[in-house]
Amino acid sequence: MDDILLDVQGVSHCFRLGKNTVLRALDGVSFQLRRGEIFGLVGESGSGKSTMARCIMSILRPTAGAIRYLGVNICDPGQFRAHKELLQTSRQLIFQDSASSLDPRMTVADIIAEPMAIHRARPPRGSLRNEAAFQLKCVGLDQGCLDRRPGELSGGQRQRVAIARALSMGPELLVADEPIASLDVSIQAQIINLFRHLQEEHGFTFLFIAHDLAVVRYLCSRVGVLYQGKLVEVGPAKEVFADPRHPYTRALLSAIPIPDPRRERERVPQSFDPAQFCREGRLREVSPGHWVLEKEGES
């Protein structure tokens, strides 16, 4: 379909930990991203979220399955080489830790302009510095930051610089791997509102990976839930949060804190026994666009 930008089909990825030990980080994961949507991928630590992001960005090559971006199977070396320029410029990744993802020796102006310089892109505003200043303004920072280095910035400012760098190439797909996890709560709210504003303004497709369910509920139009590398539920965010069908999703959502102190004291989190988790099964559509992992034969 023309509105499908990213199509992930049956993706599995294994890490070899030793001669006879293999960790399956992803197990037959399938989902699609439509143009212009914000899709949230959630799950506890170790569920495979970051591995999925790295597979989508071609940092890792999946053990099995296919990932099609704009119709190009990026898991196929021949197709990847043939469309390398497109894949490198129209997909951008924002990491969790801005301190390690920004070169401490470079100025902010050089960091933001680096993708354009590497790909020899013509700056729309005449020069790389002017373009860096424009992108910096878009993320809420002034030109006074242009000649500063990452070590001179706060965590929130560094993450804004990382966002500006990612947007400098005008990407169609932006992947953010827990981009607010290392920030203070007040700064997290600012960055989330910035993401929403930028997505509305630029119209890029946004894969937002997080473990903070309240943020995903606020930001995302659709959500997928990962558990032990398996996609257990996917659907419209409002519906998944209002009517979770998989036991793991219900347990996950029941752990969200409630702002009202009285209701918070009365909240009883649900438990999920990993021993009862069945990896075998298939995603079944329980309502339009809402899919849940079920054992074969269940209905």
Side-chain angles (χ1 to χ4, degrees), residues 28-93:
V29 176
S30 299
F31 63 91
Q32 295 177 325
L33 265 65
R34 304 185 185 99
R35 291 179 184 273
E37 78 168 333
I38 304 179
F39 184 92
L41 195 60
V42 303
E44 61 193 44
S45 296
S47 62
K49 304 185 302 297
S50 293
T51 301
M52 188 74 256
R54 283 158 173 75
C55 288
I56 289 172
M57 294 301 299
S58 304
I59 297 173
L60 297 173
R61 182 177 296 173
T63 307
I67 302 174
R68 290 181 173 81
Y69 172 73
L70 290 173
V72 178
N73 184 359
I74 65 175
C75 302
D76 181 277
Q79 290 193 41
F80 182 88
R81 286 193 298 270
H83 300 86
K84 187 175 181 179
E85 183 72 17
L86 168 69
L87 296 174
Q88 289 183 337
T89 57
S90 66
R91 300 176 302 164
Q92 296 294 324
L93 174 64

Side-chain angles (χ1 to χ4, degrees), residues 201-220:
E201 186 174 285
H202 295 275
F204 53 77
T205 302
F206 192 15
L207 175 59
F208 183 79
I209 295 171
H211 62 264
D212 189 328
L213 296 171
V215 170
V216 171
R217 187 176 196 171
Y218 170 76
L219 183 65
C220 302

Side-chain angles (χ1 to χ4, degrees), residues 241-290:
F241 277 85
D243 185 22
R245 297 297 187 90
H246 194 275
Y248 175 71
T249 307
R250 289 197 290 267
L252 200 63
L253 298 185
S254 71
I256 300 177
I258 301 174
D260 186 330
R262 180 178 298 176
R263 292 178 59 199
E264 174 64 18
R265 287 193 296 268
E266 297 172 351
R267 178 174 61 90
V268 181
Q270 298 185 30
S271 60
F272 177 73
D273 185 0
Q276 297 179 351
F277 178 58
C278 180
R279 305 187 69 87
E280 305 303 323
R282 61 183 180 83
L283 287 170
R284 185 177 74 87
E285 192 172 24
V286 295
S287 64
H290 189 175

Side-chain angles (χ1 to χ4, degrees), residues 14-24:
C14 299
F15 293 101
R16 186 167 293 280
L17 304 181
K19 186 176 180 181
N20 299 311
T21 306
V22 173
L23 172 66
R24 178 168 288 188

Side-chain angles (χ1 to χ4, degrees), residues 147-175:
D147 295 313
R148 297 167 71 181
R149 287 176 168 79
E152 302 175 75
L153 305 175
S154 67
Q157 288 174 325
R158 284 197 301 268
Q159 198 61 290
R160 288 173 186 266
V161 171
I163 295 168
R165 177 179 62 181
L167 293 179
S168 66
M169 294 301 293
E172 289 195 57
L173 174 65
L174 186 65
V175 178

